[in-house]
Amino acid sequence: MSQQTWTAVDAYFDDLLVDEDDALLQAVADSEAAGLPPHQVSPGQGKLLSLLATLRGARTVLEIGTLGGYSTIWLARALPADGRLVTVEADAACAAVAAANISQAGLDGIVDLRVGKALDVLPRLADEGRDLFDLVFIDADKPSNPQYLEWALKLTRPGSVIIGDNVVRNGAVTDAASTDPRVQGVRRFTELISQHPRLSATTIQTVGSKGYDGFTLALVTR
């Protein structure tokens, strides 16, 4: 099967099942116009994030890696009116685009955008002593995934869901000898999950408009 086929299949199902409104479409367009890399989740993946948050009954969400705010909008819309989504973005230029997109979607009252390196921001979140998170979406620099997992576990409770995106790396994740720090970060992330007594998880491979990749879905059990 080719990339062309995968993209066409995504388009078929997205047209029937995914309601991408003006705010979402504009978020992608404005991110592209600002020169942001086209690394946001696909429409179908955004809808999946929204459904997972809804199925979990999430009231609080933590997103590590905002980019232009596309996935942020999908997740925030799944929360109740008094819900809270904290999203962390290291790149100030990306954060500025995301802030505008989030505001345009009418989600300023739900989304708390923190600008800075996640490994600096996450300890401050823990120190704030606010409610733990029902869902954590990790979609940032892959070499730091092991540390992000550690903080996700500190900021969640039994029943919380942790999602790690882009973990297949076009199949490169199977190469134990890879010198790519992104591959090694994902491999260590997966190994830590497999060994952790508080987590039950699986990884799903995906193909589509974003190519060949996959995500890890973990449940905090205790």
Side-chain angles (χ1 to χ4, degrees), residues 125-146:
L125 274 179
D127 289 342
E128 289 174 10
R130 300 180 67 171
D131 290 343
L132 297 174
F133 293 97
D134 299 316
L135 185 148
V136 178
F137 180 45
I138 301 173
D139 190 16
D141 59 307
K142 306 313 172 201
S144 298
N145 265 17

Side-chain angles (χ1 to χ4, degrees), residues 58-79:
R59 301 182 67 84
T60 53
V61 169
L62 170 63
E63 179 183 49
I64 303 173
T66 315
L67 195 61
Y70 182 80
S71 56
T72 315
I73 294 170
W74 275 111
L75 284 165
R77 286 178 167 175
L79 301 182

Side-chain angles (χ1 to χ4, degrees), residues 22-56:
D22 289 344
L24 287 164
L25 293 169
Q26 195 63 49
V28 174
D30 289 349
S31 296
E32 181 179 354
L36 272 57
H39 294 164
Q40 71 275 357
V41 300
S42 70
Q45 292 164 347
K47 182 68 175 288
L48 176 62
L49 289 173
S50 176
L51 289 172
L52 289 171
T54 301
L55 288 167
R56 170 58 188 83

Side-chain angles (χ1 to χ4, degrees), residues 11 13 18 36 53 61 65 84 89 92 119 136 152 157 169 178 197 217:
F13 284 111
V18 179
L36 272 57
V61 169
R84 172 179 176 245
E89 176 53 52
L119 293 179
V136 178
R157 54 176 167 263
R169 316 297 309 171
S178 173
L217 180 67

Side-chain angles (χ1 to χ4, degrees), residues 154-196:
K154 292 176 183 178
L155 293 165
T156 53
R157 54 176 167 263
S160 295
V161 173
I162 300 172
I163 304 165
D165 201 15
N166 306 124
V167 298
V168 172
R169 316 297 309 171
N170 202 33
V173 70
T174 62
D175 182 6
S178 173
T179 58
D180 187 334
R182 297 167 297 181
V183 171
Q184 291 301 331
V186 167
R187 286 178 62 88
R188 184 57 183 153
F189 171 76
T190 309
E191 291 161 2
L192 288 171
I193 290 174
S194 73
Q195 298 161 4
H196 205 286

